[in-house]
């Protein structure tokens, strides 16, 4: 049985939350794909209106995070990451469902996301109700120069 997950949400660039997210990001994102953000990028986005960062923890240890940015009644899941040691235990799904719940509470009616076409997280997004919208060929460039397609997904939360 997994210990109780604690969800902490920040609407502004709280330094400790950013540091915790960066700890997870450094562990979770494979450098080959070049998808990890820098601390400065994360802090910059956190200053934008309608942006929130949720860090999920057990005790004080960060296990994962979600970064969401909203405009009017739509939002985009910019980043979702789970420490590799905690993958496959429901942490990512709990974090995604928490993000959807927080978006609904803010009056948001749809969430969008983009993901590398070979990312295993696609199964989680589809399981949670996200629907495929379109493919962007060669959208991501890995650190090795290889291009990777992006898939766009959307969930309607009015239901």
């Amino acid at each position: 049985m997994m210990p109780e997950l604690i969800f902490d949400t920040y609407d502004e660039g709280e330094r400790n939350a950013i540091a915790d997210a960066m700890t997870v990001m450094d562990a979770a994102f494979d450098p080959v794909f070049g998808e990890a953000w820098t601390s400065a990028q994360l802090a910059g986005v956190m200053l934008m209106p309608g942006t929130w960062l949720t860090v999920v923890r057990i005790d004080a240890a960060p296990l994962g995070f979600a970064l969401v940015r909203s405009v009017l009644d739509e939002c985009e899941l910019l980043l979702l990451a789970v420490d590799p040691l905690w993958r496959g235990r429901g942490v990512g799904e709990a974090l995604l469902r928490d993000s959807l719940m927080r978006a609904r509470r803010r009056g948001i009616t749809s969430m969008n996301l983009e993901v590398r076409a070979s990312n295993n997280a696609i199964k989680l997004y589809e399981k949670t109700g996200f629907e495929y919208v379109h493919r962007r060929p060669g959208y991501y460039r890995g650190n090795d120069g290889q291009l990777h397609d992006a898939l766009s997904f959307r969930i309607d939360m009015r239901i």
Side-chain angles (χ1 to χ4, degrees), residues 99-133:
S99 296
L100 289 166
M101 176 210 48
R102 290 178 194 279
R104 281 186 188 99
R105 285 185 185 164
R106 293 171 184 239
I108 294 169
T109 60
S110 65
M111 183 180 282
N112 300 285
L113 65 88
E114 283 191 346
V115 61
R116 181 178 24 85
S118 60
N119 192 321
N120 288 333
I122 292 169
K123 295 173 194 159
L124 169 63
Y125 300 136
E126 291 175 334
K127 175 183 177 184
T128 310
F130 281 83
E131 296 180 357
Y132 171 80
V133 176

PDB file of all heavy atoms in Angstrom, residues 99-133:
ATOM      1  N   SER A  99      -4.786  17.715 -11.349  1.00  0.00           N
ATOM      2  CA  SER A  99      -4.692  18.886 -12.238  1.00  0.00           C
ATOM      3  C   SER A  99      -6.029  19.167 -12.917  1.00  0.00           C
ATOM      4  O   SER A  99      -6.444  20.327 -13.042  1.00  0.00           O
ATOM      5  CB  SER A  99      -3.601  18.668 -13.292  1.00  0.00           C
ATOM      6  OG  SER A  99      -2.339  18.560 -12.679  1.00  0.00           O
ATOM      7  N   LEU A 100      -6.714  18.123 -13.345  1.00  0.00           N
ATOM      8  CA  LEU A 100      -8.027  18.286 -13.964  1.00  0.00           C
ATOM      9  C   LEU A 100      -9.030  18.846 -12.960  1.00  0.00           C
ATOM     10  O   LEU A 100      -9.827  19.739 -13.286  1.00  0.00           O
ATOM     11  CB  LEU A 100      -8.516  16.951 -14.531  1.00  0.00           C
ATOM     12  CG  LEU A 100      -7.774  16.448 -15.772  1.00  0.00           C
ATOM     13  CD1 LEU A 100      -8.086  14.987 -16.033  1.00  0.00           C
ATOM     14  CD2 LEU A 100      -8.094  17.311 -16.984  1.00  0.00           C
ATOM     15  N   MET A 101      -9.002  18.351 -11.728  1.00  0.00           N
ATOM     16  CA  MET A 101      -9.906  18.827 -10.691  1.00  0.00           C
ATOM     17  C   MET A 101      -9.648  20.314 -10.406  1.00  0.00           C
ATOM     18  O   MET A 101     -10.578  21.111 -10.314  1.00  0.00           O
ATOM     19  CB  MET A 101      -9.737  18.017  -9.406  1.00  0.00           C
ATOM     20  CG  MET A 101     -10.596  18.526  -8.265  1.00  0.00           C
ATOM     21  SD  MET A 101      -9.907  18.274  -6.605  1.00  0.00           S
ATOM     22  CE  MET A 101      -8.249  18.850  -6.719  1.00  0.00           C
ATOM     23  N   ARG A 102      -8.373  20.690 -10.280  1.00  0.00           N
ATOM     24  CA  ARG A 102      -8.037  22.094 -10.011  1.00  0.00           C
ATOM     25  C   ARG A 102      -8.465  22.987 -11.173  1.00  0.00           C
ATOM     26  O   ARG A 102      -8.922  24.119 -10.964  1.00  0.00           O
ATOM     27  CB  ARG A 102      -6.551  22.241  -9.733  1.00  0.00           C
ATOM     28  CG  ARG A 102      -6.146  21.635  -8.408  1.00  0.00           C
ATOM     29  CD  ARG A 102      -4.649  21.728  -8.154  1.00  0.00           C
ATOM     30  NE  ARG A 102      -4.258  20.869  -7.063  1.00  0.00           N
ATOM     31  CZ  ARG A 102      -4.391  21.173  -5.776  1.00  0.00           C
ATOM     32  NH1 ARG A 102      -4.909  22.331  -5.426  1.00  0.00           N
ATOM     33  NH2 ARG A 102      -4.003  20.322  -4.844  1.00  0.00           N
ATOM     34  N   ALA A 103      -8.323  22.496 -12.389  1.00  0.00           N
ATOM     35  CA  ALA A 103      -8.752  23.264 -13.559  1.00  0.00           C
ATOM     36  C   ALA A 103     -10.266  23.470 -13.529  1.00  0.00           C
ATOM     37  O   ALA A 103     -10.750  24.592 -13.757  1.00  0.00           O
ATOM     38  CB  ALA A 103      -8.324  22.547 -14.839  1.00  0.00           C
ATOM     39  N   ARG A 104     -11.019  22.432 -13.231  1.00  0.00           N
ATOM     40  CA  ARG A 104     -12.483  22.557 -13.157  1.00  0.00           C
ATOM     41  C   ARG A 104     -12.886  23.588 -12.104  1.00  0.00           C
ATOM     42  O   ARG A 104     -13.803  24.378 -12.322  1.00  0.00           O
ATOM     43  CB  ARG A 104     -13.112  21.201 -12.828  1.00  0.00           C
ATOM     44  CG  ARG A 104     -13.201  20.276 -14.006  1.00  0.00           C
ATOM     45  CD  ARG A 104     -13.979  18.991 -13.643  1.00  0.00           C
ATOM     46  NE  ARG A 104     -13.883  18.043 -14.716  1.00  0.00           N
ATOM     47  CZ  ARG A 104     -13.032  17.014 -14.744  1.00  0.00           C
ATOM     48  NH1 ARG A 104     -12.208  16.788 -13.747  1.00  0.00           N
ATOM     49  NH2 ARG A 104     -13.011  16.197 -15.774  1.00  0.00           N
ATOM     50  N   ARG A 105     -12.215  23.562 -10.972  1.00  0.00           N
ATOM     51  CA  ARG A 105     -12.521  24.523  -9.903  1.00  0.00           C
ATOM     52  C   ARG A 105     -12.269  25.963 -10.345  1.00  0.00           C
ATOM     53  O   ARG A 105     -12.852  26.888  -9.791  1.00  0.00           O
ATOM     54  CB  ARG A 105     -11.678  24.228  -8.663  1.00  0.00           C
ATOM     55  CG  ARG A 105     -12.142  23.025  -7.897  1.00  0.00           C
ATOM     56  CD  ARG A 105     -11.327  22.875  -6.634  1.00  0.00           C
ATOM     57  NE  ARG A 105     -11.695  21.657  -5.938  1.00  0.00           N
ATOM     58  CZ  ARG A 105     -10.966  21.116  -4.984  1.00  0.00           C
ATOM     59  NH1 ARG A 105      -9.816  21.674  -4.608  1.00  0.00           N
ATOM     60  NH2 ARG A 105     -11.359  20.018  -4.389  1.00  0.00           N
ATOM     61  N   ARG A 106     -11.393  26.151 -11.307  1.00  0.00           N
ATOM     62  CA  ARG A 106     -11.089  27.483 -11.833  1.00  0.00           C
ATOM     63  C   ARG A 106     -12.011  27.857 -12.992  1.00  0.00           C
ATOM     64  O   ARG A 106     -11.804  28.876 -13.645  1.00  0.00           O
ATOM     65  CB  ARG A 106      -9.631  27.543 -12.287  1.00  0.00           C
ATOM     66  CG  ARG A 106      -8.651  27.430 -11.128  1.00  0.00           C
ATOM     67  CD  ARG A 106      -7.226  27.285 -11.629  1.00  0.00           C
ATOM     68  NE  ARG A 106      -6.300  27.082 -10.526  1.00  0.00           N
ATOM     69  CZ  ARG A 106      -5.266  27.875 -10.256  1.00  0.00           C
ATOM     70  NH1 ARG A 106      -5.002  28.893 -11.031  1.00  0.00           N
ATOM     71  NH2 ARG A 106      -4.492  27.629  -9.236  1.00  0.00           N
ATOM     72  N   GLY A 107     -12.986  27.014 -13.292  1.00  0.00           N
ATOM     73  CA  GLY A 107     -13.930  27.303 -14.368  1.00  0.00           C
ATOM     74  C   GLY A 107     -13.422  26.946 -15.744  1.00  0.00           C
ATOM     75  O   GLY A 107     -13.981  27.369 -16.759  1.00  0.00           O
ATOM     76  N   ILE A 108     -12.388  26.151 -15.812  1.00  0.00           N
ATOM     77  CA  ILE A 108     -11.800  25.751 -17.086  1.00  0.00           C
ATOM     78  C   ILE A 108     -12.607  24.590 -17.656  1.00  0.00           C
ATOM     79  O   ILE A 108     -12.977  23.660 -16.928  1.00  0.00           O
ATOM     80  CB  ILE A 108     -10.315  25.393 -16.896  1.00  0.00           C
ATOM     81  CG1 ILE A 108      -9.555  26.671 -16.492  1.00  0.00           C
ATOM     82  CG2 ILE A 108      -9.728  24.764 -18.139  1.00  0.00           C
ATOM     83  CD1 ILE A 108      -8.151  26.440 -16.014  1.00  0.00           C
ATOM     84  N   THR A 109     -12.872  24.633 -18.953  1.00  0.00           N
ATOM     85  CA  THR A 109     -13.724  23.619 -19.576  1.00  0.00           C
ATOM     86  C   THR A 109     -12.975  22.641 -20.472  1.00  0.00           C
ATOM     87  O   THR A 109     -13.546  21.639 -20.899  1.00  0.00           O
ATOM     88  CB  THR A 109     -14.841  24.291 -20.403  1.00  0.00           C
ATOM     89  OG1 THR A 109     -14.235  25.101 -21.413  1.00  0.00           O
ATOM     90  CG2 THR A 109     -15.737  25.140 -19.514  1.00  0.00           C
ATOM     91  N   SER A 110     -11.700  22.928 -20.774  1.00  0.00           N
ATOM     92  CA  SER A 110     -10.931  21.971 -21.572  1.00  0.00           C
ATOM     93  C   SER A 110      -9.446  22.095 -21.243  1.00  0.00           C
ATOM     94  O   SER A 110      -8.971  23.159 -20.856  1.00  0.00           O
ATOM     95  CB  SER A 110     -11.149  22.187 -23.076  1.00  0.00           C
ATOM     96  OG  SER A 110     -10.648  23.441 -23.468  1.00  0.00           O
ATOM     97  N   MET A 111      -8.754  20.970 -21.387  1.00  0.00           N
ATOM     98  CA  MET A 111      -7.306  20.933 -21.179  1.00  0.00           C
ATOM     99  C   MET A 111      -6.671  20.337 -22.425  1.00  0.00           C
ATOM    100  O   MET A 111      -7.164  19.353 -22.972  1.00  0.00           O
ATOM    101  CB  MET A 111      -6.941  20.089 -19.959  1.00  0.00           C
ATOM    102  CG  MET A 111      -5.444  20.059 -19.643  1.00  0.00           C
ATOM    103  SD  MET A 111      -5.007  19.062 -18.188  1.00  0.00           S
ATOM    104  CE  MET A 111      -5.466  20.172 -16.853  1.00  0.00           C
ATOM    105  N   ASN A 112      -5.580  20.945 -22.854  1.00  0.00           N
ATOM    106  CA  ASN A 112      -4.807  20.479 -24.000  1.00  0.00           C
ATOM    107  C   ASN A 112      -3.426  20.063 -23.540  1.00  0.00           C
ATOM    108  O   ASN A 112      -2.952  20.521 -22.495  1.00  0.00           O
ATOM    109  CB  ASN A 112      -4.668  21.613 -25.028  1.00  0.00           C
ATOM    110  CG  ASN A 112      -5.999  22.092 -25.523  1.00  0.00           C
ATOM    111  OD1 ASN A 112      -6.646  21.427 -26.308  1.00  0.00           O
ATOM    112  ND2 ASN A 112      -6.438  23.252 -25.057  1.00  0.00           N
ATOM    113  N   LEU A 113      -2.776  19.244 -24.337  1.00  0.00           N
ATOM    114  CA  LEU A 113      -1.387  18.881 -24.075  1.00  0.00           C
ATOM    115  C   LEU A 113      -0.739  18.418 -25.358  1.00  0.00           C
ATOM    116  O   LEU A 113      -1.419  18.013 -26.304  1.00  0.00           O
ATOM    117  CB  LEU A 113      -1.279  17.806 -22.990  1.00  0.00           C
ATOM    118  CG  LEU A 113      -1.854  16.411 -23.280  1.00  0.00           C
ATOM    119  CD1 LEU A 113      -0.818  15.516 -23.971  1.00  0.00           C
ATOM    120  CD2 LEU A 113      -2.290  15.762 -21.989  1.00  0.00           C
ATOM    121  N   GLU A 114       0.579  18.511 -25.380  1.00  0.00           N
ATOM    122  CA  GLU A 114       1.373  17.936 -26.460  1.00  0.00           C
ATOM    123  C   GLU A 114       2.392  17.001 -25.843  1.00  0.00           C
ATOM    124  O   GLU A 114       2.909  17.267 -24.760  1.00  0.00           O
ATOM    125  CB  GLU A 114       2.089  19.023 -27.254  1.00  0.00           C
ATOM    126  CG  GLU A 114       1.177  19.731 -28.199  1.00  0.00           C
ATOM    127  CD  GLU A 114       1.908  20.623 -29.169  1.00  0.00           C
ATOM    128  OE1 GLU A 114       3.093  20.918 -28.975  1.00  0.00           O
ATOM    129  OE2 GLU A 114       1.271  21.022 -30.139  1.00  0.00           O
ATOM    130  N   VAL A 115       2.658  15.924 -26.558  1.00  0.00           N
ATOM    131  CA  VAL A 115       3.562  14.908 -26.046  1.00  0.00           C
ATOM    132  C   VAL A 115       4.320  14.287 -27.220  1.00  0.00           C
ATOM    133  O   VAL A 115       3.784  14.170 -28.321  1.00  0.00           O
ATOM    134  CB  VAL A 115       2.765  13.845 -25.241  1.00  0.00           C
ATOM    135  CG1 VAL A 115       1.736  13.140 -26.113  1.00  0.00           C
ATOM    136  CG2 VAL A 115       3.671  12.851 -24.560  1.00  0.00           C
ATOM    137  N   ARG A 116       5.563  13.918 -26.958  1.00  0.00           N
ATOM    138  CA  ARG A 116       6.353  13.221 -27.983  1.00  0.00           C
ATOM    139  C   ARG A 116       5.635  11.930 -28.349  1.00  0.00           C
ATOM    140  O   ARG A 116       5.158  11.208 -27.488  1.00  0.00           O
ATOM    141  CB  ARG A 116       7.764  12.950 -27.446  1.00  0.00           C
ATOM    142  CG  ARG A 116       8.684  12.250 -28.424  1.00  0.00           C
ATOM    143  CD  ARG A 116      10.096  12.047 -27.862  1.00  0.00           C
ATOM    144  NE  ARG A 116      10.201  12.037 -26.419  1.00  0.00           N
ATOM    145  CZ  ARG A 116      10.011  10.955 -25.655  1.00  0.00           C
ATOM    146  NH1 ARG A 116       9.712   9.793 -26.193  1.00  0.00           N
ATOM    147  NH2 ARG A 116      10.137  11.038 -24.342  1.00  0.00           N
ATOM    148  N   ALA A 117       5.563  11.630 -29.620  1.00  0.00           N
ATOM    149  CA  ALA A 117       4.777  10.492 -30.114  1.00  0.00           C
ATOM    150  C   ALA A 117       5.226   9.152 -29.540  1.00  0.00           C
ATOM    151  O   ALA A 117       4.432   8.217 -29.473  1.00  0.00           O
ATOM    152  CB  ALA A 117       4.818  10.445 -31.642  1.00  0.00           C
ATOM    153  N   SER A 118       6.465   9.047 -29.081  1.00  0.00           N
ATOM    154  CA  SER A 118       6.951   7.773 -28.521  1.00  0.00           C
ATOM    155  C   SER A 118       6.927   7.749 -26.990  1.00  0.00           C
ATOM    156  O   SER A 118       7.444   6.810 -26.393  1.00  0.00           O
ATOM    157  CB  SER A 118       8.385   7.512 -29.019  1.00  0.00           C
ATOM    158  OG  SER A 118       9.250   8.569 -28.601  1.00  0.00           O
ATOM    159  N   ASN A 119       6.306   8.731 -26.364  1.00  0.00           N
ATOM    160  CA  ASN A 119       6.275   8.820 -24.906  1.00  0.00           C
ATOM    161  C   ASN A 119       5.233   7.855 -24.334  1.00  0.00           C
ATOM    162  O   ASN A 119       4.074   7.857 -24.758  1.00  0.00           O
ATOM    163  CB  ASN A 119       5.951  10.260 -24.489  1.00  0.00           C
ATOM    164  CG  ASN A 119       6.172  10.514 -23.026  1.00  0.00           C
ATOM    165  OD1 ASN A 119       5.882   9.677 -22.188  1.00  0.00           O
ATOM    166  ND2 ASN A 119       6.670  11.701 -22.719  1.00  0.00           N
ATOM    167  N   ASN A 120       5.636   7.047 -23.365  1.00  0.00           N
ATOM    168  CA  ASN A 120       4.724   6.080 -22.742  1.00  0.00           C
ATOM    169  C   ASN A 120       3.567   6.741 -22.003  1.00  0.00           C
ATOM    170  O   ASN A 120       2.560   6.089 -21.726  1.00  0.00           O
ATOM    171  CB  ASN A 120       5.488   5.166 -21.781  1.00  0.00           C
ATOM    172  CG  ASN A 120       6.370   4.187 -22.511  1.00  0.00           C
ATOM    173  OD1 ASN A 120       6.096   3.819 -23.648  1.00  0.00           O
ATOM    174  ND2 ASN A 120       7.452   3.779 -21.867  1.00  0.00           N
ATOM    175  N   ALA A 121       3.670   8.027 -21.686  1.00  0.00           N
ATOM    176  CA  ALA A 121       2.606   8.726 -20.964  1.00  0.00           C
ATOM    177  C   ALA A 121       1.327   8.828 -21.793  1.00  0.00           C
ATOM    178  O   ALA A 121       0.257   9.086 -21.231  1.00  0.00           O
ATOM    179  CB  ALA A 121       3.075  10.120 -20.557  1.00  0.00           C
ATOM    180  N   ILE A 122       1.401   8.598 -23.084  1.00  0.00           N
ATOM    181  CA  ILE A 122       0.212   8.658 -23.935  1.00  0.00           C
ATOM    182  C   ILE A 122      -0.858   7.706 -23.417  1.00  0.00           C
ATOM    183  O   ILE A 122      -2.044   8.039 -23.404  1.00  0.00           O
ATOM    184  CB  ILE A 122       0.580   8.355 -25.406  1.00  0.00           C
ATOM    185  CG1 ILE A 122       1.434   9.488 -25.961  1.00  0.00           C
ATOM    186  CG2 ILE A 122      -0.663   8.130 -26.258  1.00  0.00           C
ATOM    187  CD1 ILE A 122       2.083   9.200 -27.296  1.00  0.00           C
ATOM    188  N   LYS A 123      -0.465   6.546 -22.940  1.00  0.00           N
ATOM    189  CA  LYS A 123      -1.433   5.580 -22.391  1.00  0.00           C
ATOM    190  C   LYS A 123      -2.189   6.189 -21.216  1.00  0.00           C
ATOM    191  O   LYS A 123      -3.395   6.002 -21.072  1.00  0.00           O
ATOM    192  CB  LYS A 123      -0.710   4.300 -21.949  1.00  0.00           C
ATOM    193  CG  LYS A 123      -0.086   3.535 -23.082  1.00  0.00           C
ATOM    194  CD  LYS A 123       0.740   2.387 -22.547  1.00  0.00           C
ATOM    195  CE  LYS A 123       1.632   1.842 -23.640  1.00  0.00           C
ATOM    196  NZ  LYS A 123       2.763   1.112 -23.126  1.00  0.00           N
ATOM    197  N   LEU A 124      -1.479   6.910 -20.360  1.00  0.00           N
ATOM    198  CA  LEU A 124      -2.110   7.562 -19.210  1.00  0.00           C
ATOM    199  C   LEU A 124      -3.101   8.624 -19.679  1.00  0.00           C
ATOM    200  O   LEU A 124      -4.224   8.696 -19.168  1.00  0.00           O
ATOM    201  CB  LEU A 124      -1.047   8.196 -18.314  1.00  0.00           C
ATOM    202  CG  LEU A 124      -1.551   9.138 -17.219  1.00  0.00           C
ATOM    203  CD1 LEU A 124      -2.420   8.383 -16.225  1.00  0.00           C
ATOM    204  CD2 LEU A 124      -0.382   9.803 -16.523  1.00  0.00           C
ATOM    205  N   TYR A 125      -2.716   9.438 -20.638  1.00  0.00           N
ATOM    206  CA  TYR A 125      -3.602  10.494 -21.112  1.00  0.00           C
ATOM    207  C   TYR A 125      -4.876   9.910 -21.720  1.00  0.00           C
ATOM    208  O   TYR A 125      -5.976  10.383 -21.444  1.00  0.00           O
ATOM    209  CB  TYR A 125      -2.880  11.384 -22.128  1.00  0.00           C
ATOM    210  CG  TYR A 125      -1.650  12.058 -21.555  1.00  0.00           C
ATOM    211  CD1 TYR A 125      -0.469  12.121 -22.274  1.00  0.00           C
ATOM    212  CD2 TYR A 125      -1.656  12.624 -20.280  1.00  0.00           C
ATOM    213  CE1 TYR A 125       0.663  12.734 -21.749  1.00  0.00           C
ATOM    214  CE2 TYR A 125      -0.532  13.225 -19.750  1.00  0.00           C
ATOM    215  CZ  TYR A 125       0.626  13.278 -20.485  1.00  0.00           C
ATOM    216  OH  TYR A 125       1.740  13.875 -19.965  1.00  0.00           O
ATOM    217  N   GLU A 126      -4.730   8.871 -22.524  1.00  0.00           N
ATOM    218  CA  GLU A 126      -5.910   8.240 -23.131  1.00  0.00           C
ATOM    219  C   GLU A 126      -6.790   7.595 -22.064  1.00  0.00           C
ATOM    220  O   GLU A 126      -8.021   7.709 -22.116  1.00  0.00           O
ATOM    221  CB  GLU A 126      -5.473   7.219 -24.182  1.00  0.00           C
ATOM    222  CG  GLU A 126      -4.861   7.881 -25.404  1.00  0.00           C
ATOM    223  CD  GLU A 126      -4.304   6.904 -26.419  1.00  0.00           C
ATOM    224  OE1 GLU A 126      -3.927   5.772 -26.043  1.00  0.00           O
ATOM    225  OE2 GLU A 126      -4.218   7.293 -27.598  1.00  0.00           O
ATOM    226  N   LYS A 127      -6.187   6.945 -21.089  1.00  0.00           N
ATOM    227  CA  LYS A 127      -6.935   6.308 -19.995  1.00  0.00           C
ATOM    228  C   LYS A 127      -7.737   7.340 -19.202  1.00  0.00           C
ATOM    229  O   LYS A 127      -8.830   7.049 -18.721  1.00  0.00           O
ATOM    230  CB  LYS A 127      -5.955   5.590 -19.059  1.00  0.00           C
ATOM    231  CG  LYS A 127      -6.569   5.000 -17.822  1.00  0.00           C
ATOM    232  CD  LYS A 127      -5.510   4.375 -16.938  1.00  0.00           C
ATOM    233  CE  LYS A 127      -6.112   3.851 -15.655  1.00  0.00           C
ATOM    234  NZ  LYS A 127      -5.077   3.326 -14.753  1.00  0.00           N
ATOM    235  N   THR A 128      -7.208   8.551 -19.115  1.00  0.00           N
ATOM    236  CA  THR A 128      -7.843   9.605 -18.338  1.00  0.00           C
ATOM    237  C   THR A 128      -8.909  10.345 -19.142  1.00  0.00           C
ATOM    238  O   THR A 128      -9.620  11.181 -18.597  1.00  0.00           O
ATOM    239  CB  THR A 128      -6.761  10.589 -17.829  1.00  0.00           C
ATOM    240  OG1 THR A 128      -5.712   9.833 -17.218  1.00  0.00           O
ATOM    241  CG2 THR A 128      -7.296  11.540 -16.797  1.00  0.00           C
ATOM    242  N   GLY A 129      -9.034  10.042 -20.417  1.00  0.00           N
ATOM    243  CA  GLY A 129     -10.094  10.636 -21.227  1.00  0.00           C
ATOM    244  C   GLY A 129      -9.641  11.641 -22.265  1.00  0.00           C
ATOM    245  O   GLY A 129     -10.469  12.229 -22.971  1.00  0.00           O
ATOM    246  N   PHE A 130      -8.349  11.848 -22.399  1.00  0.00           N
ATOM    247  CA  PHE A 130      -7.848  12.751 -23.434  1.00  0.00           C
ATOM    248  C   PHE A 130      -8.037  12.090 -24.799  1.00  0.00           C
ATOM    249  O   PHE A 130      -7.869  10.879 -24.939  1.00  0.00           O
ATOM    250  CB  PHE A 130      -6.366  13.063 -23.220  1.00  0.00           C
ATOM    251  CG  PHE A 130      -6.110  14.093 -22.151  1.00  0.00           C
ATOM    252  CD1 PHE A 130      -6.071  13.719 -20.824  1.00  0.00           C
ATOM    253  CD2 PHE A 130      -5.919  15.418 -22.483  1.00  0.00           C
ATOM    254  CE1 PHE A 130      -5.838  14.655 -19.831  1.00  0.00           C
ATOM    255  CE2 PHE A 130      -5.682  16.365 -21.504  1.00  0.00           C
ATOM    256  CZ  PHE A 130      -5.644  15.985 -20.170  1.00  0.00           C
ATOM    257  N   GLU A 131      -8.375  12.912 -25.782  1.00  0.00           N
ATOM    258  CA  GLU A 131      -8.573  12.425 -27.141  1.00  0.00           C
ATOM    259  C   GLU A 131      -7.526  13.036 -28.069  1.00  0.00           C
ATOM    260  O   GLU A 131      -7.206  14.219 -27.962  1.00  0.00           O
ATOM    261  CB  GLU A 131      -9.978  12.766 -27.630  1.00  0.00           C
ATOM    262  CG  GLU A 131     -11.054  12.059 -26.812  1.00  0.00           C
ATOM    263  CD  GLU A 131     -12.458  12.396 -27.277  1.00  0.00           C
ATOM    264  OE1 GLU A 131     -12.621  13.231 -28.194  1.00  0.00           O
ATOM    265  OE2 GLU A 131     -13.395  11.813 -26.712  1.00  0.00           O
ATOM    266  N   TYR A 132      -7.032  12.205 -28.970  1.00  0.00           N
ATOM    267  CA  TYR A 132      -6.049  12.627 -29.967  1.00  0.00           C
ATOM    268  C   TYR A 132      -6.660  13.714 -30.844  1.00  0.00           C
ATOM    269  O   TYR A 132      -7.804  13.592 -31.296  1.00  0.00           O
ATOM    270  CB  TYR A 132      -5.636  11.411 -30.802  1.00  0.00           C
ATOM    271  CG  TYR A 132      -4.793  11.740 -32.002  1.00  0.00           C
ATOM    272  CD1 TYR A 132      -3.438  11.983 -31.886  1.00  0.00           C
ATOM    273  CD2 TYR A 132      -5.374  11.819 -33.265  1.00  0.00           C
ATOM    274  CE1 TYR A 132      -2.656  12.280 -32.996  1.00  0.00           C
ATOM    275  CE2 TYR A 132      -4.602  12.114 -34.379  1.00  0.00           C
ATOM    276  CZ  TYR A 132      -3.255  12.353 -34.239  1.00  0.00           C
ATOM    277  OH  TYR A 132      -2.493  12.658 -35.331  1.00  0.00           O
ATOM    278  N   VAL A 133      -5.879  14.782 -31.102  1.00  0.00           N
ATOM    279  CA  VAL A 133      -6.332  15.882 -31.956  1.00  0.00           C
ATOM    280  C   VAL A 133      -5.563  15.889 -33.269  1.00  0.00           C
ATOM    281  O   VAL A 133      -6.160  15.877 -34.335  1.00  0.00           O
ATOM    282  CB  VAL A 133      -6.177  17.246 -31.241  1.00  0.00           C
ATOM    283  CG1 VAL A 133      -6.556  18.398 -32.161  1.00  0.00           C
ATOM    284  CG2 VAL A 133      -7.002  17.277 -29.960  1.00  0.00           C
TER     285      VAL A 133
END
